[in-house]
Amino acid sequence: MVLANTSAASVLNADLHCHSVVSDGTLTPEALAQRARANGVDLWALTDHDEVGGQARALAAAHEVGLKYLSGVEISVTFAGVTVHIVGLGFDPTNADLVAGLKRTRGGRAERAQEMSAGLAAVGIKDAYEGALKYVGNPDLISRTHFARHLVESGVCQDTHEVFRRFLTEGKPGFVPHRWASLRDAVHWITGAGGMAVVAHPARYKFTPTEEYALFTEFKAHGGQGVEVLTGSHTAAEAVKYAELAQELDLYASRGSDFHSPDESHTDLGTLPYLSGKLKPVWEALSHRVQ
Ligand code: AMP
Ligand code: MN
Ligand code: MN
Ligand code: MN
């Protein structure tokens, strides 16, 4: 029986967004592959922030447990003064331009972390840099998440969301503005390496409708083709909004939990609803890149 609004391609448990200890997740690529498998994922991608150092391990671990795999990354971009995340899928992770671009994007994180620590010290939270470092798996990738874990563990806050709200977002003592990659560069690194660029969790950005339109217009002009419709950070209403946007703008739709940690993430790997059959899934266009 064929159900209305479904197609074989959309009914696939694809989870194309998550993080390991190679960026700001708490599980290894191997543990993530096992967890994805246990949760019924069919097609998986590890998308560490600004870093492809975990890709070979993730691919090997995926095959070890019988999962199909697409290479992945989540690139930090500054667009109209706001940090936007662009997911790359199905690219060659050894591509020299991509690897060099990501290395440049990671550069400056250590200095930013020192400034964050100074900001926190000014409100009485001492040695936050040293504290955050204890949670860092990749010395090249200290992130706000590591500070958040330290502030929870040391009893300053109850959970990481409280840390972000009180200390790590714009205007708060531990927030340091940072200039990431350009939208153009991020999209070109991904497409130049044979992959597809996807706007991550679009509802998270505080854009006006005009700014959002500009983001998607420029993204498409640079060669971007996808948008995350289903993500752990979208409400049901936001998922509907971005499903409509995917159709209006003729973008491929993606699905990914954005899982970081069993203790912190409310959406586990492989547990989102299926994509609507009205949408074109990103994995249809990337079938030749699935390993
Ligand atoms: P960074 O790349 O260092 O600016 O850190 C960004 C990361 O912080 C994101 O990828 C999320 O993992 C995490 N993050 C951002 N906002 C929040 C929030 N409100 N609550 C918990 N984690 C957050
Ligand atoms: Mn993160
Ligand atoms: Mn993100
Ligand atoms: Mn993410």
Side-chain angles (χ1 to χ4, degrees):
M1 187 178 73
V2 178
L3 297 171
N5 296 336
T6 64
S7 69
S10 62
V11 184
L12 180 80
N13 194 342
D15 196 319
L16 305 180
H17 190 151
C18 70
H19 300 272
S20 76
V21 290
V22 173
S23 64
D24 62 348
T26 61
L27 301 184
T28 60
E30 292 77 16
L32 287 167
Q34 280 168 14
R35 193 177 183 95
R37 181 63 177 170
N39 288 358
V41 171
D42 300 305
L43 174 65
W44 177 51
L46 171 67
T47 55
D48 278 312
H49 295 286
D50 308 322
E51 173 67 276
V52 289
Q55 292 302 305
R57 282 173 67 183
L59 173 62
H63 287 176
E64 187 74 28
V65 300
L67 281 179
K68 297 277 186 206
Y69 191 74
L70 275 171
S71 59
V73 69
E74 182 175 20
I75 305 181
S76 312
V77 157
T78 302
F79 180 82
V82 172
T83 299
V84 168
H85 286 171
I86 301 295
V87 160
L89 297 170
F91 52 84
D92 168 9
T94 67
N95 179 277
D97 286 344
L98 171 78
V99 168
L102 293 177
K103 192 170 192 310
R104 282 202 303 281
T105 307
R106 289 193 300 274
R109 274 188 181 267
E111 201 177 316
R112 168 193 187 232
Q114 295 280 8
E115 288 178 44
M116 287 168 63
S117 191
L120 292 168
V123 295
I125 301 167
K126 303 274 182 261
D127 300 325
Y129 179 75
E130 290 72 17
L133 268 188
K134 285 190 259 158
Y135 297 88
V136 170
N138 172 359
D140 216 13
L141 213 127
I142 183 163
S143 94
R144 284 186 290 164
T145 315
H146 302 114
F147 280 85
R149 289 187 186 132
H150 166 62
L151 263 61
V152 171
E153 204 52 43
S154 57
V156 177
C157 293
Q158 292 283 316
D159 58 41
T160 53
H161 294 285
E162 184 189 342
V163 184
F164 274 88
R165 190 165 39 79
R166 288 177 54 197
F167 296 105
L168 299 181
T169 40
E170 195 152 4
K172 302 299 160 65
F175 183 80
V176 174
H178 193 75
R179 188 152 188 89
W180 303 105
S182 69
L183 180 64
R184 177 184 179 280
D185 283 351
V187 172
H188 285 184
W189 295 333
I190 295 162
T191 56
M196 185 192 289
V198 177
V199 176
H201 42 63
R204 284 253 295 270
Y205 315 121
K206 307 263 182 303
F207 284 137
T208 62
T210 309
E211 288 167 338
E212 182 173 77
Y213 180 78
L215 169 69
F216 280 98
T217 305
E218 283 196 32
F219 172 72
K220 285 188 70 174
H222 295 312
Q225 292 184 289
V227 59
E228 278 185 354
V229 170
L230 297 175
T231 125
S233 56
H234 278 179
T235 64
E238 287 165 347
V240 169
K241 174 181 170 183
Y242 289 98
E244 286 169 0
L245 182 129
Q247 290 181 287
E248 277 163 29
L249 299 185
D250 195 26
L251 291 166
Y252 288 98
S254 194
R255 173 184 193 262
S257 57
D258 206 358
F259 181 78
H260 282 71
S261 159
D263 300 326
E264 296 163 14
S265 302
H266 53 81
T267 304
D268 205 338
L269 287 161
T271 62
L272 286 166
Y274 289 120
L275 275 183
S276 156
K278 295 176 187 163
L279 301 172
K280 298 185 300 176
V282 291
W283 48 90
E284 236 175 34
L286 290 169
S287 56
H288 61 297
R289 309 292 306 187
V290 172
Q291 290 180 287

